[in-house]
Amino acid sequence: MRVLVTGGLGFIGSHTALMLLQKGYEVIILDNLSNSNPAVLGRINSQTGNKALFVKGDILDVALLKEVFREHEIHGVIHFAALKSVKESIEKPERYHLNNVVGTERLIRICAEQGIGRFIFSSSAAVYGSAASPVTENSGIGEIPNPYGRSKASCEDLLKTTHFQYKKPDITILRYFNVAGAHPDGILWEEAQPDGGNLMSHIIRVASEKTGKLYIYGGDYDTPDGTGIRDYIHVMDVARGHVLALEKQKEGVHTYNLGSGRGTSVLELIQTFQEVNGVDIRYEITGRRIGDISVSYADSTRALDELGWRAELDICDIVRDSWSHSEGGVDMSK
Ligand SMILES: NC(=O)c1ccc[n+]([C@@H]2O[C@H](COP(=O)([O-])OP(=O)(O)OC[C@H]3O[C@@H](n4cnc5c(N)ncnc54)[C@H](O)[C@@H]3O)[C@@H](O)[C@H]2O)c1
């Protein structure tokens, strides 16, 4: 089976592309390199005799998309390509709408016209807004406090509309929670993010630099230690979720949470990172950020029942693998 992986040189896409190759799939990666390093392709292709083909390009480029589908018989599409910074999305909402929503609209339209059978979409726990945890897929899309989350909810809507209109492709929407970790063999990891990235990236930076401190936004939430609680999920588990979703895709549109089902507070994450990796993290608790919610974790029962998926790696695996690629501060991506 030949699979087009958009955003396949990014963090989750690269781990998934490698897993697909190792399972014998033919993989075409389409990525505009807006948030990835071209060297990742070599690292993916160094691991297996089965090599991914790379097309440098943008999902907004309809002519290019049509050419890719004309030149290759593609059976399934895994669509990771998107901008993902909540902070940047608040500053530049139009950019997020164009890249994420219009990009997805163009891609799914062509997939429908080409009669592509399977389509898997990267959605996010952000679509639940402040719904009470554990959230199930039926929790409903809540009031979403940022343009990034709204772009994911809009994409979900237009995927459903397209399927309703064309009856193709069959669509699996995967709503991931907080993805972290890295390939345990040290081949792939999350690149440093232009906006400083997520909490794990900040922890790694503070631990690597051995100077400065980590700012924790909010110590007065209604949680046991006052800091926000999130559901951290290892990138290898998320990649495996995509392979299962592709293999078990059913007719219609189906939505699954990919989360561990366990909530970890910011202080617990820092504590675990220090214990597992033997490093110190200096931190200071400061005011809450607008738009942050206190608790978010998943009920992933549906993914277990229908895909046979559950998170196999835990928070200790996540902090160990996240830290080990950085080798105590030497960013191997440089
Ligand atoms: N990382 C997380 O915790 C998380 C959580 C929930 C959902 N997601 C979603 O999962 C997907 C992958 O996330 P990631 O963490 O791997 O992000 P990432 O930024 O590492 O990867 C995205 C990739 O898409 C590419 N890209 C972006 N816009 C493109 C475009 N218009 N055309 C072609 N390529 C484009 C980037 O260059 C990058 O390589 C995204 O859709 C993201 O919104 C991520």
Side-chain angles (χ1 to χ4, degrees), residues 11-12 31-32 34-36 58-59 80 84 99 148 152:
F11 175 42
I12 308 171
D31 199 304
N32 67 2
S34 60
N35 195 35
S36 47
D58 202 296
I59 52 166
F80 292 104
K84 65 171 177 179
N99 194 77
Y148 166 72
K152 291 291 175 187

Side-chain angles (χ1 to χ4, degrees), residues 6-14 30-37 57-60 79-84 99-100 103 121-126 148 152 174-180 190-191 193 198 233:
T6 74
L9 293 189
F11 175 42
I12 308 171
S14 59
L30 176 84
D31 199 304
N32 67 2
L33 302 178
S34 60
N35 195 35
S36 47
N37 179 343
D58 202 296
I59 52 166
L60 287 162
H79 177 33
F80 292 104
L83 298 170
K84 65 171 177 179
N99 194 77
N100 293 5
F121 176 65
S122 299
S123 191
S124 165
Y148 166 72
K152 291 291 175 187
L174 298 177
R175 293 177 178 159
Y176 335 136
F177 283 65
N178 293 63
V179 187
E190 183 170 24
E191 300 284 327
Q193 297 300 300
N198 52 29
I233 171 113

Side-chain angles (χ1 to χ4, degrees), residues 198-246:
N198 52 29
L199 175 60
M200 186 65 82
S201 318
H202 285 290
I203 291 178
I204 289 171
R205 189 174 42 74
V206 172
S208 307
E209 288 173 358
K210 301 182 181 70
T211 58
K213 57 187 163 189
L214 178 77
Y215 289 97
I216 298 176
Y217 299 107
D220 57 352
Y221 284 111
D222 186 17
T223 61
D225 64 23
T227 64
I229 289 180
R230 295 291 179 274
D231 185 333
Y232 295 93
I233 171 113
H234 199 293
V235 65
M236 296 298 285
D237 278 328
V238 177
R240 191 169 43 80
H242 289 77
V243 177
L244 285 168
L246 195 65

Side-chain angles (χ1 to χ4, degrees), residues 1-3 14 16-29 40-54:
M1 185 193 282
R2 190 173 294 114
V3 185
S14 59
T16 306
L18 175 55
M19 207 174 271
L20 289 168
L21 289 169
Q22 288 171 329
K23 289 194 167 282
Y25 288 90
E26 290 180 54
V27 173
I28 301 173
I29 292 173
V40 171
L41 180 68
R43 299 208 297 268
I44 294 172
N45 280 342
S46 68
Q47 297 304 304
T48 149
N50 185 16
K51 312 284 183 206
L53 197 77
F54 177 55

Side-chain angles (χ1 to χ4, degrees), residues 82-101:
L83 298 170
K84 65 171 177 179
S85 162
V86 168
K87 183 165 167 271
E88 189 193 39
S89 80
I90 293 166
E91 294 153 11
K92 300 175 185 163
E94 301 83 8
R95 184 165 185 240
Y96 274 67
H97 180 79
L98 177 66
N99 194 77
N100 293 5
V101 183

Side-chain angles (χ1 to χ4, degrees), residues 200 232 262 264 269 272 276 313-320:
M200 186 65 82
Y232 295 93
R262 287 180 299 271
T264 303
L269 184 67
T272 311
V276 170
L313 299 168
D314 66 14
I315 197 72
C316 294
D317 300 306
I318 291 173
V319 297
R320 184 200 58 230

